[in-house]
Amino acid sequence: MFTAYAIITVVTILANAAIAVADFLRAGFVLANSAEVGVPETWLPWLASLKGAGAAGLLLGLLGVPVIGVAAATGLVLFYVGAVTAHLRARVYYNLAVPGGFLALAGASLVLAVVR
């Protein structure tokens, strides 16, 4: 079970770290998506910080502080529920799989962190 937890959590860490960097750099696809779902550009640094903190917390969980890992995974699940909700509210369905994929990774990391 630990192997599955480690693999899924590392993938989740890498994905969130990458998107946090893209948010901080204000990548074109990030700006376009944010505008489309109604997220103000001024929110990007805050959202990037939350994603980065989630990735860091998951890493701490892997390194032996399980309560931080569970808290980080829970935070990421809530974050991506909000992202999916923003897409649904704005009726932006064509790329709903992106926040849905991040939500699935965060959810899997949470479940595996709790049951390991």
Side-chain angles (χ1 to χ4, degrees), residues 78-108:
L78 294 172
F79 181 93
Y80 289 113
V81 165
V84 167
T85 301
H87 277 72
L88 293 174
R89 186 183 61 227
R91 297 186 176 154
V92 178
Y93 305 120
Y94 75 92
N95 66 351
L96 189 59
V98 175
F102 279 98
L103 176 59
L105 284 172

Side-chain angles (χ1 to χ4, degrees), residues 9 12-17 20 49-60 72 76:
T9 301
T12 306
I13 290 167
L14 293 174
N16 279 280
S49 296
L50 292 173
K51 295 170 191 175
L58 289 176
L59 180 60
L60 284 173
L76 287 171

Side-chain angles (χ1 to χ4, degrees), residues 6-109:
I7 291 169
I8 293 296
T9 301
V10 166
V11 171
T12 306
I13 290 167
L14 293 174
N16 279 280
I19 197 63
V21 168
D23 285 358
F24 277 125
L25 294 176
R26 297 178 188 271
F29 73 93
V30 171
L31 295 175
N33 187 60
S34 297
E36 202 166 14
V37 298
V39 173
E41 191 175 332
T42 57
W43 289 17
L44 288 179
W46 298 103
L47 299 176
S49 296
L50 292 173
K51 295 170 191 175
L58 289 176
L59 180 60
L60 284 173
L62 270 179
L63 296 176
V65 190
V67 69
I68 298 296
V70 170
T74 301
L76 287 171
V77 165
L78 294 172
F79 181 93
Y80 289 113
V81 165
V84 167
T85 301
H87 277 72
L88 293 174
R89 186 183 61 227
R91 297 186 176 154
V92 178
Y93 305 120
Y94 75 92
N95 66 351
L96 189 59
V98 175
F102 279 98
L103 176 59
L105 284 172
S109 293

